[in-house]
């Protein structure tokens, strides 16, 4: 990183993250910390049955309790609001915050009780009597494909939300011409990001100004628009406050249904209303689950292990409503061949409804499951050809000189140097020594395996998957904006137009503006105006903020610098090209007299007579940034998805006792290339946190439903998040291949680690148990699954020996 | 019920329902919102406070049980407004956090560790924070923060000569 450090003053420098101070002092401002005068509290009554007709709701006993103000039902809410937006063209899959007439999964919100305190509201929930008539239900995606399966939405006609076949290139010919083929199935279990803060919202309605004020723990593009639409009020009657710290999101904190419900109650009752999910509401009915996906993969390759073509069918269990689930099948199209030169691909994306909770966007938006399938394919091809698993990847990698590289599905990858990253990681770990260590462990009677994953993190987030999957959607921009204001005393304030959930956007914005203006970042104030004072933003989804907010900061600062230069040159009587900007001052290129920052600011704010002609007084600039690349609608099923592609290469050594089956990660190394790093602390944290999240997906985390359609893993006792005991010390090997499409060469890193860790850990376990002729094809791979499979394999082999 | 809590060195009297948790009492009655509700069933540790110096899950304890006990919350660690303790500053130095939601509990658990063990090993630190779930960081920079704080505290308390003649 020394070359970068030389190029930049603050970018890539090892500077502190400015947000940290308030958090370590306990002075974050989360939604649960916001208490308004006269605020009422909501508790939610969840459905008992996976599918049932609601025959009646009797709130009388609840309403008779002192301190209980209201019981809201789906019927009232649906009458007063429009259905929640659904990005697909499936008008009969209707969704409201509270179940309307029918419940579609166990835990679905049936009624909301409002009381003076949350505790009282919970007590009153127990007094609401709902009578149900149970209906047939289903939980399995493959069952949902059967036309005779019980329809989750009878008006829709089937359980299929999306079934789209793409063929990019000459798949049939390539398969016919390839000497070798293999097929397999892998399954990604239903897990999610599960932030430690649940979702919360406070809503307040002022009937005289007709203004809805909202504080929420959100990470949601177009949030005010969607609330306004559902509530049938103009969007400029909604004011979303962005000065709320969000206690983790990683994609899921969308909260439209929560907000519509709370806002309706605030309007109805004329009092501020707060809805804070408890953990049970969050896990069961918060509609924040992630992909649950079956992959059927065929690959065609040759004896040298070169993969020529791939057929992938991804069947996703969306749950009871569309949510963002179908689109999470669309985003991976932008990196459907991973880092490999696969010439042609057939991809079938199927999304079906079942009687399970609804999905929300999860870190990577479907990319991590897809990477797991692709990496499993590479492992299997290597095995089939008798090739080392790293060698087979090397042979298939896109080479450095081939970028920008157009993949069959229409995305042009920006840059990369995969071979070098792999070489650096192998040199760092001393790969032969790692193999020797694995073999030593095996000789001691342990099971030990090495796992490998090489994958991409598409970043820069546009929403090109929306028009790709829904022709009626013609969105081709996913902009982000920044405003810089220099006041009359010369102090700089930068506005950003979103909430943050730990990504360090204040540090990012200050660093970039300071870099361009050549001033001290610590002197820059970052402000988050409310939504009515905001420029367009699409929030930190799709690993986009280093690229998009960083880019907007860069361009806004360049505009400001250009204005300062014009002012200074004019005052000094210089032609603009004869003047130069340096460290906040403007002077002649040839040297001599210069005007410092204070003088330039003074002219802009007080001396109109000294300004160049046609110059607006004051000193501010704005920039609304379009996503680099990806500005066109899809054509022939192809589209340019995200602009940038970070690369990560995971190398893992896992050991376990064959009887106990508990995997222990002995070594974890990741090679990471996200281009120019803006803040090394932030990127490191994202990467380590992503690996922990991926470790959870690989070994621990799953929302499990039983045959009765009830969710079993409703608490942190059952849904296990990795603790400091499970997480190994991770070694990061850096590489920097700048992106040609961004202002500093930066790429995204918000999903790093998570995108490859599940594949790598799965690969390590499969290497560990290969001696028994078994493998795991479903995540998470729990301790019990490992010990049971090993025990069964040992029984089989002893029976074979004795018979 | 009336109870008297010794919170961050000051006696605070509150009148609470017997079923009210210490967490809700700190947050709602005493406006000490640094302790957070993450799971409310004693797993995540976001609500951690120190009771008589030991890390305790304030979501699993009633306020009435804390009558007369010495409670330290995150708000009680810094010496003055705008200041940070050595441990808090170390979390800033290594960026041992992201969203900040688990951070107060994580810091209090680490604070208790360093009070008892000025030279913890990596395993000691992992053990001490294993009851606090962080979803953002993967714990790496948290462990580094505690290691750094331990080193700084040892140096701060060491005689000049033993500190290695640092300037």
């Amino acid at each position: 990183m020394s070359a970068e450090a030389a190029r930049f003053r603050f970018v890539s420098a090892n500077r502190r993250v400015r947000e940290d101070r308030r958090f370590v002092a306990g002075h974050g401002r989360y939604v649960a910390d916001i208490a308004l005068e006269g605020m009422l509290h909501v508790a939610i009554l969840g459905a008992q049955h996976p599918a049932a007709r609601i025959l009646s709701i009797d709130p009388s006993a609840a309403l008779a309790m002192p301190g209980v103000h209201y019981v809201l039902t789906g019927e009232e809410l649906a009458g007063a609001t429009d259905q929640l937006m659904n990005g697909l063209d499936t008008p009969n899959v209707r969704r409201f915050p509270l179940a309307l007439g029918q419940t579609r999964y166990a835990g679905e919100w049936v009624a909301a009780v409002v009381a003076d305190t949350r505790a009282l509201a919970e007590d009153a929930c127990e007094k609401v009597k709902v009578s149900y008539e149970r209906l047939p239900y289903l939980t399995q995606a493959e069952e949902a494909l059967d036309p005779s399966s019980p329809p989750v939405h009878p008006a829709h006609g089937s359980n299929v939300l999306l079934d789209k076949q793409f063929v990019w290139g000459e798949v049939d010919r390539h398969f016919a011409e390839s000497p070798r083929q293999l097929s397999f199935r892998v399954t990604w279990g239903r897990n999610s990001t599960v932030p430690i803060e649940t979702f919360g919202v406070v809503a307040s309605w002022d009937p005289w100004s007709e203004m809805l004020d909202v504080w929420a723990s959100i990470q949601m593009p177009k949030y005010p628009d969607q609330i306004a639409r559902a509530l049938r009020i103009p969007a400029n009657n909604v004011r979303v406050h962005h000065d709320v710290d969000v206690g983790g999101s990683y994609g899921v904190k969308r909260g439209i249904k929560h907000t519509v419900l709370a806002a309706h109650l605030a309007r109805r009752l004329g009092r501020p209303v707060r809805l804070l999910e408890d953990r049970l509401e969050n896990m069961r009915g918060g509609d924040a689950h992630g992909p649950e996906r079956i992959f059927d993969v065929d690959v065609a390759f040759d004896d040298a292990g070169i993969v020529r073509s791939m057929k992938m069918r991804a069947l996703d269990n969306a749950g009871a409503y569309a949510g963002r689930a179908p689109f999470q099948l669309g985003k991976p199209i932008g990196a459907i061949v991973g880092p490999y030169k696969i010439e042609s691909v057939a991809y079938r994306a199927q999304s079906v409804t079942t009687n399970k909770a609804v999905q929300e966007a999860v870190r990577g938006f479907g990319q991590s499951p897809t990477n797991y399938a692709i990496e499993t394919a590479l492992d299997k091809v290597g095995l089939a050809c008798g090739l080392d698993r790293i060698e087979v990847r090397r042979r298939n990698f896109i080479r450095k000189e081939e970028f920008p590289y157009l993949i069959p599905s229409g995305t042009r990858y920006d840059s990369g140097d995969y071979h070098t990253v792999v070489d650096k990681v192998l040199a760092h770990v001393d790969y032969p020594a790692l193999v020797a260590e694995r073999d030593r462990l095996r000789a001691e009677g342990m099971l030990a395996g090495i796992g490998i994953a090489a994958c991409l993190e598409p970043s820069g987030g546009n929403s090109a998957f929306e028009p790709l999957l829904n022709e009626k959607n013609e969105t081709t921009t996913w902009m982000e904006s920044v405003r810089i204001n220099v006041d009359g005393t010369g102090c700089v304030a930068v506005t950003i137009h979103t909430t943050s959930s730990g990504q360090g956007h204040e540090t990012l914005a200050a660093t970039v503006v300071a870099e361009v203006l050549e001033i001290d970042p610590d002197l820059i104030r970052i402000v988050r105006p409310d939504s009515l004072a905001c420029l367009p933003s699409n929030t930190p989804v799709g690993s986009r903020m280093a690229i998009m907010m960083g880019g907007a900061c860069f361009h806004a600062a360049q505009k400001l610098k250009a204005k300062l230069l014009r002012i200074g040159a004019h005052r000094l009587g210089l032609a603009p090209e004869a003047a130069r900007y340096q460290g906040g001052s403007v002077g002649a290129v040839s040297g001599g007299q210069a005007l410092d920052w204070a003088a330039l600011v003074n002219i802009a704010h007080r001396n109109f007579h000294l300004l160049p002609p046609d110059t607006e007084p004051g000193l501010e600039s704005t920039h609304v940034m379009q996503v680099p690349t990806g500005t066109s609608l899809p054509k022939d099923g192809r589209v340019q998805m995200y602009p940038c592609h970070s690369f990560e290469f995971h190398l893992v050594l896992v050991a376990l006792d064959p009887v106990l089956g508990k995997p222990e990660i002995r070594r974890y190394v990741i090679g990471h290339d996200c281009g120019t790093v803006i803040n090394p602390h932030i990127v490191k944290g994202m990467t380590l946190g992503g690996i922990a999240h991926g470790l959870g997906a690989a070994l621990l985390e799953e929302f499990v439903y039983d045959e009765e359609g009830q969710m079993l893993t409703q608490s942190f006792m059952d849904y296990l998040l990795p603790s400091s005991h499970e997480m190994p010390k991770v070694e990061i090997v850096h590489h920097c291949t700048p992106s040609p499409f961004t202002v500093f060469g930066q790429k995204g890193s918000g999903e790093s680690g998570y995108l490859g860790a599940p594949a790598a850990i799965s690969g390590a376990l499969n290497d560990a148990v290969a001696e028994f002729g078994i493998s795991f094809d479903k995540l998470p791979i729990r301790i019990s699954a490992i010990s049971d499979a090993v025990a069964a394999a040992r029984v089989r082999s002893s029976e074979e020996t004795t018979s | 019920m009336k109870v008297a809590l010794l919170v961050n060195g000051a006696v605070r009297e509150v009148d609470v329902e017997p079923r009210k948790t210490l967490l809700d009492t700190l947050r709602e009655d005493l406006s000490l919102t640094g302790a957070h509700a993450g799971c409310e069933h004693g797993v995540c540790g976001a609500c951690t406070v120190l009771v008589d110096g030991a890390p305790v899950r304030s979501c699993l304890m009633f306020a009435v049980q804390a009558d007369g006990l010495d409670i330290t919350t995150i708000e009680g660690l810094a010496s003055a407004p705008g200041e940070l303790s050595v441990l808090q500053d170390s979390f800033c130095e290594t960026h041992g956090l992201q969203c900040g939601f688990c951070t107060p509990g994580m810091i209090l658990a680490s604070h208790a560790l360093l009070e008892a063990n000025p030279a913890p090993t990596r395993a000691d630190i992992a053990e001490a924070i294993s009851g606090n779930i962080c979803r953002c960081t993967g714990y790496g920079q948290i462990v580094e923060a505690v290691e750094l704080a331990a080193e700084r505290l040892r140096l701060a308390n060491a005689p000049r000569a033993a500190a290695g003649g640092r300037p």
Side-chain angles (χ1 to χ4, degrees):
Chain A
M1 228 170 280
S2 56
E4 289 175 47
R7 277 205 297 143
F8 303 119
R9 289 170 188 235
F10 307 117
V11 167
S12 300
N14 198 23
R15 295 175 53 83
R16 284 190 177 196
V17 176
R18 60 164 59 196
E19 287 89 338
D20 291 356
R21 272 181 72 80
R22 66 176 184 266
F23 294 132
V24 298
H27 285 281
R29 186 171 185 256
Y30 302 94
V31 67
D33 305 337
I34 292 161
L36 303 181
E37 192 65 32
M39 188 169 75
L40 298 173
H41 301 261
V42 182
I44 299 289
L45 179 66
Q48 290 167 283
H49 309 296
R53 195 163 289 122
I54 300 170
L55 300 177
S56 66
I57 300 177
D58 176 7
S60 52
L63 289 169
M65 294 170 69
V68 174
H69 292 261
Y70 206 68
V71 175
L72 177 66
T73 64
E75 210 163 324
E76 178 191 326
L77 190 58
T81 58
D82 284 348
Q83 63 174 319
L84 305 181
M85 261 181 65
N86 166 10
L88 289 176
D89 188 18
T90 51
N92 294 318
V93 181
R94 301 175 70 209
R95 182 181 176 206
F96 292 94
L98 296 176
L100 180 60
Q102 181 183 339
T103 70
R104 293 183 166 86
Y105 63 94
E108 181 174 8
W109 296 2
V110 170
V113 178
V114 188
D116 283 337
T117 67
R118 165 76 195 197
L120 198 53
E122 285 183 34
D123 291 346
C125 260
E126 293 177 8
K127 305 281 187 191
V128 176
K129 292 196 189 81
V130 184
S131 74
Y132 294 103
E133 178 194 334
R134 299 189 63 167
L135 295 169
Y137 61 91
L138 76 169
T139 58
Q140 301 300 319
E142 292 196 290
E143 195 187 340
L145 288 175
D146 180 346
S148 67
S149 62
V152 177
H153 295 269
H156 180 62
S158 84
N159 282 313
V160 179
L161 288 170
L162 176 83
D163 186 353
K164 206 159 169 99
Q165 175 74 58
F166 296 92
V167 180
W168 302 296
E170 297 185 65
V171 175
D172 288 341
R173 182 168 73 83
H174 293 158
F175 263 81
E177 289 175 3
S178 291
R180 309 186 67 156
Q181 297 177 13
L182 62 81
S183 306
F184 64 92
R185 167 174 284 203
V186 285
T187 302
W188 177 275
R190 174 175 278 246
N191 65 65
S192 189
T193 72
V194 194
I196 305 301
E197 182 204 48
T198 59
F199 187 84
V201 55
V202 176
S204 173
W205 173 255
D206 180 337
W208 288 276
S209 63
E210 297 192 320
M211 182 65 76
L212 177 72
D213 280 278
V214 176
W215 295 260
S217 53
I218 40 156
Q219 179 202 355
M220 178 68 197
K222 318 280 201 268
Y223 176 70
D225 308 8
Q226 291 200 40
I227 299 166
R229 211 171 285 176
L231 292 170
R232 303 172 186 156
I233 58 177
N236 60 4
N237 293 31
V238 178
R239 178 163 52 207
V240 177
H241 296 262
H242 287 139
D243 54 347
V244 176
D245 291 312
V246 180
S249 172
Y250 333 96
V252 301
K253 290 265 180 79
R254 303 299 172 107
I256 297 290
K257 82 168 185 180
H258 312 60
T259 308
V260 171
L261 189 153
H264 170 76
L265 285 169
R267 254 197 322 179
R268 178 75 185 74
L269 301 175
R271 302 258 303 260
V273 167
R274 177 161 90 185
L275 167 56
L276 283 183
E277 288 175 339
D278 68 10
R279 187 50 63 183
L280 181 63
E281 285 161 354
N282 174 266
M283 304 282 270
R284 257 161 57 107
D287 291 357
H289 288 192
E292 176 186 350
R293 204 167 287 184
I294 298 168
F295 292 95
D296 289 309
V297 182
D298 307 279
V299 282
F301 54 103
D302 64 16
D303 295 332
I306 305 295
V307 180
R308 192 158 185 209
S309 187
M310 175 175 75
K311 295 177 190 168
M312 179 184 283
R313 172 210 187 213
L315 169 61
D316 196 90
N317 185 335
Y321 299 90
R324 296 297 280 173
F327 290 122
Q328 295 193 80
L329 286 162
K331 183 263 181 94
I333 290 172
I336 197 68
V337 294
Y340 307 112
K341 285 192 283 189
I342 301 171
E343 281 180 62
S344 60
V345 178
Y347 179 62
R348 185 173 185 186
Q350 293 178 299
S351 179
V352 293
T353 48
T354 65
N355 297 99
K356 287 187 176 179
V358 184
Q359 288 183 25
E360 200 36 275
V362 161
R363 195 179 213 153
F365 212 61
Q367 193 70 53
S368 193
T370 308
N371 290 350
Y372 164 58
I374 296 171
E375 287 306 283
T376 303
L378 266 289
D379 278 357
K380 287 181 185 292
V381 169
L383 196 66
C385 296
L387 279 172
D388 176 81
R389 287 171 293 159
I390 296 174
E391 177 58 23
V392 73
R393 285 173 169 83
R394 276 186 208 270
R395 290 184 184 187
N396 285 284
F397 277 155
I398 301 160
R399 303 201 69 85
K400 182 186 179 185
E401 59 275 12
E402 292 172 309
F403 292 96
Y405 182 88
L406 180 65
I407 67 168
S409 54
T411 290
R412 204 173 287 278
Y413 291 168
D414 54 338
S415 65
D417 187 355
Y418 310 152
H419 293 88
T420 300
V421 175
V422 171
D423 287 345
K424 282 170 89 166
V425 169
L426 297 185
H428 172 85
V429 296
D430 186 358
Y431 188 59
L434 190 76
V435 174
E437 172 64 9
R438 176 193 66 184
D439 296 343
R440 187 190 66 76
L441 288 163
R442 286 177 176 176
E444 283 182 356
M446 301 280 279
L447 298 180
I450 291 173
I452 292 146
C455 62
L456 297 181
E457 177 180 357
S459 50
N462 57 29
S463 69
F465 45 80
E466 289 184 323
L468 189 65
L469 298 187
N470 179 2
E471 286 169 6
K472 290 185 180 170
N473 186 323
E474 296 198 340
T475 305
T476 55
T477 183
W478 205 241
M479 63 292 211
E480 195 63 39
S481 321
V482 159
R483 180 170 62 231
I484 305 173
N485 188 47
V486 184
D487 68 23
T489 71
C491 291
V492 182
V494 175
T495 64
I496 58 177
H497 308 104
T498 175
T499 50
S500 300
S501 40
Q503 303 95 331
H505 297 136
E506 295 168 26
T507 301
L508 165 69
T511 304
V512 174
V513 171
E515 182 71 42
V516 176
L517 294 179
E518 304 168 35
I519 58 176
D520 184 348
D522 291 341
L523 298 178
I524 297 174
R525 175 73 62 182
I526 307 297
V527 191
R528 299 170 190 266
D530 64 57
S531 58
L532 290 175
C534 271
L535 297 168
S537 166
N538 283 290
T539 79
V541 297
S543 265
R544 66 197 300 273
M545 282 316 209
I547 296 162
M548 294 302 297
M549 184 187 281
C553 283
F554 175 90
H555 290 297
Q558 289 288 6
K559 288 178 186 173
L560 194 83
K561 192 158 87 171
K563 181 169 181 178
L564 288 163
L565 189 73
R566 282 198 308 276
I567 292 171
H570 183 72
R571 180 71 180 120
L572 294 169
L574 297 166
E577 56 276 12
R580 72 166 172 183
Y581 179 99
Q582 192 173 28
S585 299
V586 174
V589 175
S590 54
Q593 195 198 349
L595 287 171
D596 67 8
W597 181 263
L600 295 165
V601 169
N602 200 55
I603 293 171
H605 273 277
R606 293 183 188 83
N607 309 134
F608 189 74
H609 62 288
L610 299 181
L611 285 172
D614 302 323
T615 303
E616 289 177 10
L619 204 47
E620 57 78 32
S621 67
T622 64
H623 190 80
V624 183
M625 179 154 163
Q626 166 69 347
V627 180
T629 78
T631 55
S632 312
L633 285 172
K635 206 174 164 199
D636 305 327
R638 288 180 169 85
V639 70
Q640 171 71 39
M641 212 79 76
Y642 294 7
C644 302
H645 297 80
S646 301
F647 177 68
E648 55 195 55
F649 180 71
H650 300 243
L651 191 54
V652 192
L653 174 64
V654 171
L656 56 133
D657 181 294
V659 176
L660 300 177
K662 184 181 178 188
E664 184 193 332
I665 297 176
R666 294 291 181 97
R667 190 103 191 253
Y668 202 117
V669 186
I670 178 170
H672 188 220
D673 182 355
C674 63
T676 302
V677 169
I678 292 178
N679 183 295
H681 289 300
I682 292 176
V683 170
K684 179 179 174 182
M686 297 274 183
T687 306
L688 298 182
I691 289 172
H693 188 188
L695 184 151
L699 300 177
L700 302 169
E701 298 178 37
E702 187 176 16
F703 293 113
V704 178
Y705 285 77
D706 67 10
E707 289 182 357
E708 304 292 312
Q710 298 291 336
M711 197 175 91
L712 301 177
T713 49
Q714 304 188 348
S715 78
F716 285 171
M717 314 270 228
D718 318 295
Y719 187 99
L720 300 178
L721 304 171
S723 79
S724 54
H725 282 315
E726 283 74 45
M727 258 307 275
K729 183 170 181 158
V730 174
E731 299 152 69
I732 303 178
V733 176
H734 291 286
H735 190 71
C736 176
T737 310
S739 173
F741 300 148
T742 60
V743 295
F744 298 116
Q746 74 271 35
K747 304 181 180 187
S749 72
E751 296 156 0
S752 63
Y754 181 65
L755 296 186
I761 293 168
S762 157
L765 286 170
N766 282 333
D767 185 38
V769 300
E771 62 177 279
F772 299 111
I774 56 175
S775 67
F776 301 105
D777 55 9
K778 179 182 181 311
L779 302 187
I781 307 168
R782 289 211 191 75
I783 294 171
S784 55
I786 299 169
S787 55
D788 288 356
V790 170
R794 284 180 149 180
V795 169
R796 273 198 306 276
S797 79
S798 71
E799 282 170 357
E800 280 162 21
T801 318
T802 50
S803 60
Chain B
M1 269 181 85
K2 286 199 169 136
V3 290
L5 311 174
L6 180 60
V7 183
N8 299 330
V11 177
R12 306 285 299 267
E13 290 186 1
V14 288
D15 191 357
V16 294
E17 274 190 77
R19 68 170 178 173
K20 192 162 194 174
T21 63
L22 178 58
L23 173 65
D24 286 348
T25 303
L26 290 169
R27 291 182 53 84
E28 294 168 10
D29 298 79
L30 300 177
S31 298
L32 294 168
T33 54
H36 298 138
C39 68
E40 296 179 281
H41 52 259
V43 177
C44 78
C47 65
T48 300
V49 299
L50 303 182
V51 176
D52 289 344
V56 160
R57 298 175 190 286
S58 63
C59 77
L60 290 188
M61 185 170 180
F62 295 117
V64 294
Q65 292 175 291
D67 192 25
L69 300 182
D70 182 359
I71 295 157
T72 304
T73 70
I74 190 70
E75 290 89 349
L77 279 200
S79 58
E83 298 290 322
L84 298 177
S85 74
V86 169
L87 178 61
Q88 287 170 315
D89 187 70
S90 298
F91 269 72
C92 294
E93 180 62 26
T94 67
H95 190 43
L97 64 146
Q98 286 173 35
C99 78
F101 199 75
C102 77
T103 308
M106 203 60 90
I107 289 178
L108 287 165
S110 307
H111 179 87
L113 168 72
L114 294 179
E115 290 283 300
N117 179 358
T121 62
R122 195 184 159 83
D124 294 335
I125 297 168
E127 175 67 22
I129 63 168
S130 63
N132 294 70
I133 305 293
C134 172
R135 196 55 162 167
C136 294
T137 65
Y139 308 101
Q141 288 147 299
I142 294 174
V143 173
E144 287 173 23
V146 181
E147 287 173 335
L148 177 63
E151 188 194 346
R152 286 174 167 180
L153 289 165
R154 281 199 307 276
L155 288 172
N157 292 329
R160 184 170 288 269
R166 291 196 170 201

